[in-house]
Amino acid sequence: MGDLKLVERPQSLSIGPHDNKTINANIKVSSTETGHIFGTIVYDNSSSAEKTYINLNNIHLDIMDYIRPASASDESFRSMWAEFEWENKVAITTCIQSLEIFLQHIVNATNMRCLTPRSSLTGSSTFLAANLYAKSIFGEDALVNVSMEKKEDGKLGGYIRIRSKTQGIALSLGDRITAVQRSTVTTADPADQ
């Protein structure tokens, strides 16, 4: 799953009783998305002349291993937002009751940079809108817009919209945000972002 390609197929081996062999396989990761690597060992049983299959544990690749905070001008962000086809919209469901703390939690958890000036994010307002940006190690852009409000009951509501050129980034970041928005607040100095 994901945009993974086997670079070279491992050669077949003949193994005697109680022998062991090590096989290495190179896998090329060519896109930023969460994925899994599955493996199977297939061997012929000499006593029954049947093939036996052993499923190996899968290896999980996390999008956060490939995303790095980046900067972009307002004009560049707006241009990319209009150009990018893939969008994932995630509803905000959190127990965090502070707009600023929730935004910082999302910034930290997604490894993105908040492009909206800090001065625009502070104050006693009951709503907040911010743009976040990151770039993958493959040069793919990830754009996020957080639009939320503090409701009368003290809970936060709104949406987080993710846009990218590829579906994989939009879906993987959406999954990441869905998973982390319910977790406890990450601790980092907001001035670092």
Side-chain angles (χ1 to χ4, degrees), residues 98-116:
S98 165
L99 297 167
E100 294 85 7
I101 290 173
F102 179 72
L103 175 64
Q104 191 59 45
H105 177 61
I106 294 298
V107 167
N108 293 342
T110 58
N111 205 18
M112 300 190 89
R113 175 164 287 123
C114 183
L115 300 178
T116 306

Side-chain angles (χ1 to χ4, degrees), residues 99-100 123-128 148-152 155-157:
L99 297 167
E100 294 85 7
S124 59
S125 179
T126 59
F127 66 91
L128 182 145
M148 60 182 159
E149 66 176 335
K150 189 167 191 168
K151 299 178 183 176
E152 290 181 13
K155 293 183 179 180
L156 300 183

Side-chain angles (χ1 to χ4, degrees), residues 93-189:
T93 52
T94 183
C95 60
I96 300 170
Q97 295 189 341
S98 165
L99 297 167
E100 294 85 7
I101 290 173
F102 179 72
L103 175 64
Q104 191 59 45
H105 177 61
I106 294 298
V107 167
N108 293 342
T110 58
N111 205 18
M112 300 190 89
R113 175 164 287 123
C114 183
L115 300 178
T116 306
R118 286 262 165 243
S119 59
S120 303
L121 302 174
T122 57
S124 59
S125 179
T126 59
F127 66 91
L128 182 145
N131 292 329
L132 313 179
Y133 179 65
K135 207 170 189 65
S136 78
I137 60 173
F138 304 106
E140 299 164 311
D141 300 295
L143 310 174
V144 171
N145 174 265
V146 180
S147 297
M148 60 182 159
E149 66 176 335
K150 189 167 191 168
K151 299 178 183 176
E152 290 181 13
D153 63 1
K155 293 183 179 180
L156 300 183
Y159 292 95
I160 299 172
R161 294 168 58 197
I162 304 125
R163 284 203 182 171
S164 67
K165 276 188 180 177
T166 61
Q167 182 183 23
I169 294 177
L171 294 178
S172 296
L173 266 178
D175 291 344
R176 172 78 178 170
I177 289 169
T178 299
V180 301
Q181 70 174 325
R182 294 185 181 106
S183 65
T184 57
V185 177
T186 54
T187 54
D189 186 359

Side-chain angles (χ1 to χ4, degrees), residues 74-84 143:
D74 287 343
E75 296 80 24
S76 175
F77 186 91
R78 281 193 297 271
S79 172
M80 287 186 284
W81 189 269
E83 174 189 340
F84 291 173
L143 310 174

